[in-house]
Amino acid sequence: MLIPLLVGGYMASTLLRAVTGSATGRRRLIALLGFSVLAGGLLIDLVVGLWLRGYPLDKFWIVWPILSLVIAGVAAVAAVLQKLLGAAGTLVTVIAIVLFGNPSSGGANGVPYLPAFWADIGPFLPPRNAYILLRNSIYFDGHGITQALIVLLLYLAVPAITLAFLDRFRTPEIPLNRGTEAEATALTVPVGGLP
């Protein structure tokens, strides 16, 4: 379940940026949270829990907010990085969250079998904390989830606050549309005729 959660988070932010033409916007975080709860978390919960029977169905209502939290946290990180770095923010999100986070989660093999580098960075990235939060909530009645829950909430709260400050104090970027794209293309054309 981790890969759809991680990809869904950064894709939500990327697609919202593509639709609106800008990484700015006061209601951007609300849209990302709405997607995380109503579309992403619920859809994955229905597919994995109800359709595929990936976990006991009596845990459906506790899994849904966890899935939504993971998607929202990754989407918030992607939104901040996209606001600061532009389109490169998506690439940085993919590298940090998916390429480094997923192998460091421990997943099916377990954390004790990870090499030192992956074992050391895992507790600070969303995938391992999402895995621990899901596993312990489903199978161990929520025991041992405090650290994982705190880390995931920080991945949501810190970028959300940062995004609010950036929206308030940072110079707004020029939205992408056909006119601004044509102006940018015109500036990149070399001066003078072709040989």
Side-chain angles (χ1 to χ4, degrees), residues 64-186:
W64 181 11
I66 294 170
L67 300 179
S68 300
L69 175 63
V70 175
I71 293 172
V74 173
V77 169
V80 169
L81 290 174
Q82 288 169 351
K83 183 151 178 88
L84 293 173
L85 304 174
T90 304
L91 179 63
V92 172
T93 304
V94 170
I95 290 170
I97 303 293
V98 178
L99 294 180
F100 284 112
N102 198 39
S104 68
S105 71
N109 295 331
V111 176
Y113 298 107
L114 289 175
F117 173 76
W118 299 111
D120 292 342
I121 66 169
F124 304 105
L125 296 173
R128 181 183 298 175
N129 293 294
Y131 174 74
I132 290 170
L133 185 59
L134 280 167
R135 182 194 64 198
N136 291 0
S137 295
I138 293 171
Y139 300 110
F140 302 112
D141 295 323
H143 295 290
I145 63 169
T146 306
Q147 179 182 347
L149 186 60
I150 289 171
V151 169
L152 289 173
L153 286 172
L154 286 173
Y155 266 93
L156 178 61
V158 171
I161 292 167
T162 305
L163 195 60
F165 279 120
L166 288 174
D167 281 342
R168 184 170 179 108
F169 297 114
R170 189 175 168 115
T171 307
E173 66 184 45
I174 300 171
L176 298 174
N177 58 34
R178 292 199 182 273
T180 57
E181 187 176 353
E183 290 174 16
T185 305

Side-chain angles (χ1 to χ4, degrees), residues 8-34:
Y10 80 79
M11 285 301 294
S13 182
T14 303
L15 292 175
L16 183 61
R17 183 177 189 269
V19 167
T20 61
S22 173
T24 61
R26 301 221 184 265
R27 292 185 179 88
R28 180 176 178 83
L29 188 61
I30 295 169
L32 290 174
L33 290 175

Side-chain angles (χ1 to χ4, degrees), residues 30-44 46 64 68 71:
I30 295 169
L32 290 174
L33 290 175
F35 170 82
S36 299
V37 172
L38 299 176
L42 179 61
L43 181 65
I44 293 172
L46 287 171
W64 181 11
S68 300
I71 293 172

